[in-house]
Amino acid sequence: MTALVWIGALLALAGLAGLGYCITVAVRARREGLEGAAMEARLRRLVALNLGALAVSTLGLMLVILGIFLG
């Protein structure tokens, strides 16, 4: 079950990296001074990536806990 913990940890870290990327893209868009439709279009694309990264991170943490319980 050690492998399950390590795989889960890698997934959780990948999800956190995705969330960090989403944050940097949003901050960059804000610093560019985008307003209105341009800002909405950029953030609309970012929402799907943000939710995907959150889901990957959650699945990783679930695998870690499952590995700990089974091991």
Side-chain angles (χ1 to χ4, degrees), residues 1-68:
M1 293 304 136
T2 305
L4 198 61
V5 172
W6 282 107
I7 292 170
L10 289 175
L11 279 175
L13 287 176
L16 286 177
L19 289 172
Y21 174 75
C22 290
I23 290 169
T24 57
V25 169
V27 168
R28 193 178 312 139
R30 186 175 185 193
R31 286 186 183 160
E32 288 176 7
L34 295 178
E35 292 182 11
M39 177 67 97
E40 183 179 342
R42 178 138 344 147
L43 292 180
R44 191 174 298 262
R45 285 180 282 165
L46 198 58
V47 167
L49 182 61
N50 189 16
L51 288 175
L54 187 61
V56 168
S57 181
T58 302
L59 287 174
L61 291 174
M62 289 170 62
L63 284 176
V64 168
I65 293 192
L66 183 66
I68 290 171

